[in-house]
Amino acid sequence: FKTRLLEQIAELRPDFHFVLIGPIVNIDLRSLPQKPNIHYLGKKDYHILPLYIAGWDCAIMPAEVNEFNRLIGPIKTKELLASGKPIVSTSIPDVIHTFRDKGLVYFADQAEHFVESIERAMEERGQGPEWINKADQFLDKKSWNTAFYQMAELERKLSMPYKGGYIPAYMDTSLISIGIV
């Protein structure tokens, strides 16, 4: 993540607490900003993450935009949206591509704009169920089940039938036996 950005937004809003969950990799721990309102909790078991997220007003994704994460999929973004929290992210290309026109994620790369975006996101989220409904409608179309059935339909359309008849992947006993479907 962008350590300097995190440090700047923590300085701009000392009344906000920034709780970071997850392992810190490829970063010298001594380079992490040390502020009273920045809390590094480290890796947590996946099943208890909702307990932490429940106390948040907003989720942030202050990722460094580089070759490593330029192509990361927006799975974390979908998980955070599913938790009902508004999100402010740096300009990660795949996240922008997926979410820019949906009005569900705010994007900012400069500290002042990041703080403004956090404030707008929390204000919008606090205005009622409209935001949650919009996020739920978007996520409903992006579920694993929906993706699976879309892929199965594409497979059905593109597959060449064999003499025994067409068997979609989700019914293929060899794939089922190894746990893929």
Side-chain angles (χ1 to χ4, degrees):
F1 63 89
K2 284 186 162 184
T3 56
R4 182 68 184 132
L5 176 64
L6 178 61
E7 181 175 40
Q8 290 171 329
I9 62 176
E11 288 171 355
L12 287 170
R13 289 309 303 259
D15 55 320
F16 284 8
H17 285 268
F18 299 92
V19 177
L20 287 93
I21 296 176
I24 297 171
V25 295
N26 300 327
I27 297 174
D28 180 0
L29 297 179
R30 295 170 296 187
S31 70
L32 294 175
Q34 301 298 317
K35 300 282 180 196
N37 59 339
I38 300 176
H39 312 281
Y40 303 100
L41 302 186
K43 183 178 179 181
K44 300 294 177 190
D45 288 333
Y46 200 74
H47 70 279
I48 64 168
L49 288 178
L51 299 173
Y52 289 99
I53 295 171
W56 296 356
D57 294 316
C58 181
I60 62 171
M61 295 178 24
E64 188 75 48
V65 180
N66 56 32
E67 282 302 307
F68 174 72
N69 68 16
R70 184 179 61 81
L71 298 175
I72 61 172
I75 292 172
K76 181 189 291 188
T77 313
K78 291 176 188 174
E79 292 172 337
L80 291 169
L81 283 176
S83 76
K85 303 303 175 185
I87 302 165
V88 179
S89 175
T90 51
S91 298
I92 303 165
D94 275 359
V95 178
I96 289 174
H97 175 75
T98 304
F99 295 97
R100 172 181 279 159
D101 299 332
K102 310 300 184 264
L104 297 170
V105 178
Y106 291 84
F107 295 96
D109 293 296
Q110 304 302 320
E112 294 82 7
H113 188 215
F114 210 95
V115 168
E116 291 168 7
S117 295
I118 290 170
E119 292 167 346
R120 280 197 323 271
M122 290 188 312
E123 181 179 314
E124 179 181 349
R125 171 61 180 91
Q127 291 179 359
E130 293 83 20
W131 186 89
I132 291 277
N133 291 336
K134 185 168 48 170
D136 286 346
Q137 288 172 4
F138 172 79
L139 292 170
D140 189 48
K141 297 174 191 161
K142 301 293 183 187
S143 72
W144 288 114
N145 285 346
T146 300
F148 176 79
Y149 288 116
Q150 288 171 342
M151 292 297 291
E153 180 61 17
L154 286 172
E155 178 188 12
R156 187 190 64 73
K157 288 179 181 178
L158 298 174
S159 291
M160 299 294 281
Y162 67 96
K163 66 180 182 176
Y166 168 74
I167 298 177
Y170 64 90
M171 294 177 66
D172 185 324
T173 56
S174 61
L175 293 176
I176 293 169
S177 70
I178 60 173
I180 291 178
V181 292

